[in-house]
Amino acid sequence: MRIQFVDLLSQYQSIKEEIDNIISNVINDTAFIKGKYVENFEHSYKEKYGVDHCIGVANGTDAIYIALKMMGIGFGDEVITTTSSWISTSEAITQTGATPVFVDIEPDYYTINPELIEEKITENTRGIIPVHLYGQPADMQRIMNISKKHDLVVLEDCAQAHFAEITGKKVGTFGQVSTFSFFPGKNLGAYGDAGAILTDNPKLAKKIRMFANHGALQKHFHVFEGINSRLDGLQAGILSVKLPYIHSWNSKRLEIAMKYTELLAKVDELITPIIRPESVHVFHVYAIRCKNRDGLREYLLKNGISVAIHYPIPLPFMEAYKYLNHRDDDFPVVSEYRDKMLSLPVYPEMQEDMIHYVVDKIKKYYSH
Ligand SMILES: *Cc1c(COP(=O)(O)O)cnc(C)c1O
């Protein structure tokens, strides 16, 4: 049996008619940049989140950069974020001219550890970027309390956590601003690059919309210099078709995750994901911590099972951040875990027999 890490083709086939129609409509309307498909998606997305403003942008990395920059973050500022994420999170901080300040993860939940945030706050600290990693909400209540106490802005990086919830509230509605990626493999994915920014702040929303469009709301009336980072009509159309399915797709992911957790419960060589209390985890990634990770990984790959590592190198130890001179014991948890994490396939189209196949192979590997 061959098991892919994600299966975007099966998903397309399940909604082919709607997708083909919308693509053809966008082309027939020549609504490639801006226009009604983008407006429609922005409208539905903000409605689903119950926030006032949604601005579509070119990708999830730009979303972070644009939002930080429009909140006035730049040279000399520090922004606190997690050690475990895709590089976009810290890269966007640097792009504004600010410096990323890394904080270790919580041992059980893999998201930024709020207990370690305050010791990193200096007079230059301006904000915190929690990442809802793998689809697990960060501890938003404590992060918001810290931000209020120290007058910091909070940008939630929701690239892996569309419609995840904590304490009955969606992630992306806690901070001043939140950012999303619709990279094809994300829980809600376009057919190319796409991203969005949510906020309830009308002034900030306006600045963000202008900056992403060369500093103009109206063509040729550039109030300041910005960049070109727009959500395009085809991607917006595709996202609008997919949006109504997101809850059922997320539930499927959760179901598959629960099945893995149940079937792997007695395998002593590994630890399955722990869902934070009062949370809805949307399982963008199902990451286990396991013994002899590289051996298991090889074995599964040899047996046709695509697995991945999120992330082989924690951010502070990337060559790009060598200048920060971090050592392993600066971040003991993420350092300890880096050779243990392994991500198993999880996507809504996965069938029961596929889950069993993965589990059987894992058990077989550890039985000899
Ligand atoms: C995917 C991702 C991004 C970046 O999104 P792109 O659309 O690929 O630019 C940012 N942060 C996290 C945590 C991600 O997983």
Side-chain angles (χ1 to χ4, degrees):
M1 195 183 267
R2 295 204 71 76
I3 300 179
Q4 294 170 244
F5 193 69
V6 290
D7 186 356
L8 299 176
L9 186 60
S10 290
Q11 192 193 61
Y12 165 62
Q13 280 156 351
S14 73
I15 51 172
K16 184 176 181 328
E17 216 180 290
E18 285 180 273
I19 293 281
D20 291 355
N21 275 336
I22 202 93
I23 290 175
S24 152
N25 291 346
V26 174
I27 296 170
N28 280 305
D29 291 337
T30 63
F32 300 117
I33 300 288
K34 298 171 89 82
K36 71 176 179 194
Y37 296 92
V38 174
E39 281 164 26
N40 284 349
F41 175 70
E42 288 177 341
H43 182 77
S44 333
Y45 205 63
K46 78 178 165 84
E47 291 288 302
K48 265 204 182 273
Y49 270 90
V51 302
D52 291 343
H53 305 278
C54 172
I55 304 100
V57 294
N59 57 67
T61 311
D62 278 5
I64 305 169
Y65 164 63
I66 294 166
L68 287 177
K69 180 132 174 129
M70 292 304 99
M71 289 193 292
I73 288 167
F75 289 97
D77 294 335
E78 291 171 6
V79 178
I80 290 172
T81 193
T82 176
T83 49
S84 188
S85 184
W86 176 244
I87 192 168
S88 302
T89 316
S90 48
E91 195 178 37
I93 296 170
T94 309
Q95 267 183 300
T96 67
T99 305
V101 174
F102 294 108
V103 167
D104 209 352
I105 54 173
E106 289 183 278
D108 283 343
Y109 307 125
Y110 308 132
T111 50
I112 190 168
N113 189 340
E115 252 168 58
L116 305 174
I117 291 179
E118 283 192 285
E119 66 196 52
K120 297 286 177 87
I121 295 174
T122 71
E123 57 184 12
N124 297 322
T125 308
R126 294 285 315 282
I128 308 172
I129 307 185
V131 178
H132 306 297
L133 195 77
Y134 307 152
Q136 168 104 285
D139 187 347
M140 288 318 296
Q141 196 162 5
R142 293 176 71 189
I143 293 166
M144 292 315 295
N145 287 344
I146 295 167
S147 77
K148 278 173 199 140
K149 185 169 153 199
H150 297 274
D151 194 23
L152 306 174
V153 297
V154 171
L155 179 156
E156 293 176 74
D157 182 346
C158 304
Q160 302 187 2
H162 312 78
F163 299 97
E165 289 180 21
I166 179 164
T167 55
K169 194 168 147 73
K170 287 180 196 67
V171 303
T173 62
F174 288 86
Q176 280 76 9
V177 66
S178 61
T179 61
F180 292 82
S181 166
F182 306 117
F183 179 82
K186 298 289 159 81
N187 287 27
L188 180 63
Y191 287 179
D193 277 313
I197 301 168
L198 295 182
T199 182
D200 275 330
N201 180 332
K203 272 196 189 142
L204 180 60
K206 191 174 168 193
K207 277 204 256 183
I208 286 171
R209 196 174 283 289
M210 290 169 87
F211 185 72
N213 187 44
H214 303 291
L217 284 179
Q218 209 187 328
K219 199 167 184 174
H220 303 305
F221 291 86
H222 305 277
V223 181
F224 54 87
E225 286 182 328
I227 61 171
N228 178 2
S229 182
R230 296 175 297 225
L231 175 62
D232 71 70
L234 284 169
Q235 303 311 334
I238 289 160
L239 288 168
S240 293
V241 166
K242 285 188 165 197
L243 187 58
Y245 295 98
I246 186 65
H247 292 298
S248 77
W249 287 336
N250 279 346
S251 316
K252 276 306 272 189
R253 285 175 180 272
L254 182 61
E255 223 175 87
I256 293 159
M258 294 296 85
K259 194 80 207 169
Y260 270 136
T261 298
E262 178 199 321
L263 296 172
L264 291 169
K266 290 198 184 99
V267 183
D268 292 334
E269 290 87 352
L270 60 83
I271 295 166
T272 54
I274 301 170
I275 300 178
R276 190 189 294 284
E278 291 186 86
S279 295
V280 178
H281 193 316
V282 294
F283 282 98
H284 175 58
V285 167
Y286 186 92
I288 58 170
R289 265 189 353 262
C290 57
K291 264 197 192 143
N292 197 5
R293 192 264 320 267
D294 294 335
L296 176 61
R297 177 175 168 271
E298 289 276 297
Y299 181 80
L300 294 176
L301 290 174
K302 238 184 349 210
N303 281 282
I305 301 167
S306 294
V307 289
I309 299 173
H310 298 93
Y311 292 94
I313 309 173
L315 291 174
F317 307 133
M318 291 276 183
E319 180 120 13
Y321 298 110
K322 223 169 148 180
Y323 71 96
L324 293 172
N325 289 315
H326 282 302
R327 301 182 332 186
D328 284 10
D329 53 8
D330 292 338
F331 309 107
V333 178
V334 85
S335 296
E336 189 204 320
Y337 289 178
R338 67 180 281 187
D339 301 324
K340 296 185 175 150
M341 305 301 298
L342 188 71
S343 308
L344 306 182
V346 58
Y347 46 92
E349 297 75 21
M350 245 185 125
Q351 304 298 317
E352 180 107 12
D353 59 332
M354 299 162 87
I355 305 168
H356 284 281
Y357 181 77
V358 175
V359 169
D360 289 347
K361 290 295 169 201
I362 293 173
K363 286 184 173 167
K364 200 151 173 217
Y365 175 75
Y366 285 120
S367 71
H368 47 55

